[in-house]
Amino acid sequence: MQWSDALNGGFSTASSDVLSRPVIKEGEYGYKQVNVANQQRDPNSLINWMEHIIRIRKQFPEFGCGKWQILETDQPCVWSLLRVGR
């Protein structure tokens, strides 16, 4: 993931011909389109979703404790989890 839409995706100010690996400049995955700075401004981006999930995990440590088991449901849109103990 590129850092920004700056030259070389924000990784280096060096000329692109001296970089050890080329950056993706063109197309839908080019650094001008896909980069951390743009993703942080988009409330629906994957990076913002992950940061939200990490905050929840830190706020509720019980999510990471004890044993757990996924419970079957008859609703495909429901995820059911049983957690026991610490």
Side-chain angles (χ1 to χ4, degrees):
M1 173 68 85
Q2 295 89 201
W3 288 118
S4 71
D5 61 0
L7 179 68
N8 297 323
F11 287 116
S12 175
T13 56
S15 170
S16 60
D17 61 328
V18 298
L19 298 176
S20 61
R21 305 289 280 162
V23 296
I24 302 171
K25 294 179 184 177
E26 305 297 328
E28 66 181 310
Y29 300 112
Y31 65 83
K32 297 241 183 228
Q33 288 75 30
V34 179
N35 60 67
V36 172
N38 287 351
Q39 294 285 302
Q40 287 177 323
R41 288 189 292 271
D42 179 358
N44 297 314
S45 70
L46 177 60
I47 196 168
N48 279 319
W49 182 83
M50 289 298 295
E51 287 175 353
H52 175 73
I53 294 300
I54 290 167
R55 279 192 302 276
I56 289 173
R57 170 69 171 80
K58 287 180 178 181
Q59 186 178 358
F60 300 101
E62 56 271 11
F63 282 135
C65 299
K67 295 184 180 197
W68 57 274
Q69 174 184 351
I70 296 175
L71 302 175
E72 295 294 327
T73 71
D74 58 354
Q75 300 296 317
C77 61
V78 174
W79 185 61
S80 181
L81 180 73
L82 171 68
R83 190 195 66 81
V84 179
R86 280 200 166 262

